[in-house]
């Protein structure tokens, strides 16, 4: 398969993460990169799970916006690069 988009993502992700606030960086790093449970991170931050999920979504959207403008990556419905799945129902 074509690994070029993944290689671009690997190169660009650390740079784009640095453009987020420290809190957004921590949330993305802990949850999406290191795979810690959302409830554990929420408790560490003193947040309810719904409040944490809201912050995580906002952080992901900010990251996606930065990546679209700076990484020359396109997010398609049929790619695994994007964390959001398109539902045709």
């Amino acid at each position: 398969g074509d690994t070029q988009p993944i290689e671009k993502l690997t190169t660009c992700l650390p740079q784009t993460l640095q453009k987020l606030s420290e809190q957004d960086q921590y949330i993305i790093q802990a949850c999406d990169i290191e795979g810690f449970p959302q409830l554990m991170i929420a408790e560490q931050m003193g947040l309810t799970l719904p409040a944490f999920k809201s912050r995580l979504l906002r952080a992901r959207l900010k990251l996606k916006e930065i990546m679209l403008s700076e990484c020359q990556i396109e997010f398609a419905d049929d790619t695994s690069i994007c964390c959001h799945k398109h539902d045709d129902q």
Side-chain angles (χ1 to χ4, degrees), residues 1-2 8 21 23-24 26 30-31 33 37-38 46 49 57 59 63 73-74 77-78 84 88:
D2 182 13
K8 272 189 191 174
S21 69
Q23 187 177 67
D24 286 349
Y26 173 75
C31 189
I33 297 173
Q38 292 182 7
L49 187 57
L57 179 60
L63 181 63
I73 293 174
E74 291 182 14
D77 292 341
D78 60 352
H84 300 288
D88 286 321

Side-chain angles (χ1 to χ4, degrees), residues 24-78:
D24 286 349
Q25 286 180 45
Y26 173 75
I27 289 171
I28 297 279
Q29 182 77 33
C31 189
D32 292 336
I33 297 173
E34 296 175 17
F36 288 107
Q38 292 182 7
L39 182 59
M40 187 182 93
I41 304 163
E43 288 173 349
Q44 283 179 351
M45 296 178 73
L47 297 170
T48 64
L49 187 57
F52 174 79
K53 285 178 180 269
S54 178
R55 288 200 188 175
L56 176 60
L57 179 60
R58 283 196 306 265
R60 285 174 175 166
L61 290 173
K62 286 180 203 168
L63 181 63
K64 181 179 176 182
E65 230 174 75
I66 295 167
M67 291 177 76
L68 284 170
S69 67
E70 299 193 13
C71 298
Q72 290 84 46
I73 293 174
E74 291 182 14
F75 289 82
D77 292 341
D78 60 352

